[in-house]
């Protein structure tokens, strides 16, 4: 196996993070490649050198400042608190909801009953031809006896009733 | 972290106590300034605290924590690099200021032999310089690999790259360190 193919595995080999099979392949390569052997040994040396850097301890002020910052954070908010910064939005939403309910109830009141729908269905042919009938010239030229007839019939009925009443009283 | 999510403040204090040391050291080695490192560490913990309710344990907590820290550190390093360029080209950076504010140990107390102390300090300085000279992303990768002992999968998630890209990044970083630290490496080898 070539050195370039081994490059990305050298560090894992130094760390001891290679799988069994990969480690065996690496060791086989190292046995035959002096340059990679040197590299492995120098990577190990770098690893050890990096350990020489001292660790620092957090300062005493760190904890105090951290506590103060956490304490200054706003408390946990419940879901409804989402509305709190925007009362106007909440009010507008409530009004919109009320308006929707009111409009909904109005349209329900105006709904037609089953009898009304039957009536409409029976007179559908007239309604469909309403435009023609309303503009039909010949109809407008006809005399309007219907009301007069009705009145005369009504008068006749009234006269008959009066006569009957008189006969009864006699 | 799940206890913190449930509102347990005590668990957050424990989390803070457990991770503040490694986090401050990582950030210190990234930005080379203790005060700045502590400020950044506070920012990391505050972000964790603020995000506690939305925390989903899809990745390890350390991965999440160091991802926030690495992003903040990389931004800080980039910002300060531009600031340094802007401040002045006249003010030379002294050797001491390059070492950040890491204070040397009390010589008399820890090192009866001053010569030995100086040698050790020089070695540390060389190692610090070698790490500082690495490009930011390589530096972060080395610090997470060497000092936090995170596995390749975690580091690649933190640095948002593939595992093979990370291996290649680490290889290049260790190659640079090997060259930079050649005199010390040779001493160790001999």
């Amino acid at each position: 196996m070539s050195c370039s193919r081994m490059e990305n595995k050298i560090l894992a080999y130094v760390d001891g993070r290679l799988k069994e099979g990969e480690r065996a392949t690496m060791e086989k390569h190292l046995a035959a490649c002096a340059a990679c052997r040197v590299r492995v040994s120098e990577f190990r040396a770098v690893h050890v050198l990096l350990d020489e850097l001292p660790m620092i301890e957090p300062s005493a002020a760190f904890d105090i400042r951290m506590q103060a910052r956490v304490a200054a954070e706003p408390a946990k908010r419940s879901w409804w608190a989402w509305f709190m910064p925007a009362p106007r939005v909440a009010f507008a939403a409530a009004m919109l909801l009320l308006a929707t309910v009111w409009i909904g109830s109005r349209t329900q009141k105006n709904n037609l009953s089953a009898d009304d729908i039957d009536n409409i269905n029976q007179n559908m042919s007239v309604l469909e031809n309403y435009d023609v009938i309303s503009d039909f010239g010949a109809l407008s030229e006809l005399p309007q006896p219907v009301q007069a007839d009705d009145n005369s019939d009504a008068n006749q009925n009234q006269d008959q009733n009066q006569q009957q009443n008189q006969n009864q009283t006699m | 972290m799940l206890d913190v999510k449930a509102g347990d403040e005590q668990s957050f204090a424990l989390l803070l106590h457990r991770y503040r040391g490694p986090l401050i050291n990582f950030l210190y080695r990234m930005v080379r300034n203790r005060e700045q490192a502590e400020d950044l560490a506070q920012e990391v913990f505050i972000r964790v605290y603020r995000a506690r309710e939305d925390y989903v344990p899809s990745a390890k907590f350390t991965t999440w924590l160091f991802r926030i820290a690495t992003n903040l550190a990389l931004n800080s390093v980039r910002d300060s690099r531009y600031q340094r360029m802007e401040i002045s080209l006249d003010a030379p950076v002294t050797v001491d200021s390059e070492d950040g504010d890491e204070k040397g140990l009390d010589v008399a107390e820890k090192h009866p032999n001053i010569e030995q102390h100086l040698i050790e300090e020089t070695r540390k300085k060389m190692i610090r310089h070698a790490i500082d000279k690495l490009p930011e992303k390589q530096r972060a990768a080395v610090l997470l690999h060497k000092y936090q002992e995170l596995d390749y999968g975690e580091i690649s998630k933190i640095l948002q790259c593939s595992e093979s890209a990370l291996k290649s990044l680490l290889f290049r970083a260790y190659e640079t360190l090997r060259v930079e630290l050649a005199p010390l490496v040779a001493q160790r080898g001999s």
Side-chain angles (χ1 to χ4, degrees), chain A residues 8 16 24 59 126 134-135 154:
Chain A
N8 281 0
S59 67
V126 178
S134 62
D135 289 339

Side-chain angles (χ1 to χ4, degrees), chain A residues 119-133:
Chain A
N119 253 336
I120 291 168
N121 285 336
Q122 280 168 11
N123 296 311
M124 191 54 77
S125 58
V126 178
L127 288 171
E128 281 171 352
N129 297 318
Y130 178 75
D131 290 344
V132 179
I133 295 165

Side-chain angles (χ1 to χ4, degrees), chain A residues 7 12 15 17 39 42 47 49-52 54 56-57 59 62-63 65 69 73 76, chain B residues 20 25 29 34 38-39 42-43 50 53 123 127 145-147 150-152 171 175 178 188:
Chain A
E7 278 180 354
D15 291 341
R17 295 183 193 183
R39 187 173 272 156
E42 290 185 348
H47 243 275
L49 283 170
L50 293 180
D51 281 331
E52 289 186 21
I56 59 164
E57 284 297 317
S59 67
F62 179 83
D63 288 343
R65 282 174 58 208
R69 282 194 72 177
E73 284 294 304
K76 194 177 175 182
Chain B
R20 65 182 183 159
N25 273 284
R29 284 169 178 153
R34 178 194 278 268
E38 289 200 350
D39 284 349
Q42 294 216 347
E43 190 57 38
R50 283 178 188 154
E53 285 167 37
R123 285 169 66 86
I127 298 165
H145 170 258
K146 173 63 196 166
Y147 298 107
L150 301 178
D151 60 44
Y152 296 132
F171 177 78
E175 271 293 285
R178 186 170 75 103
R188 189 155 284 278

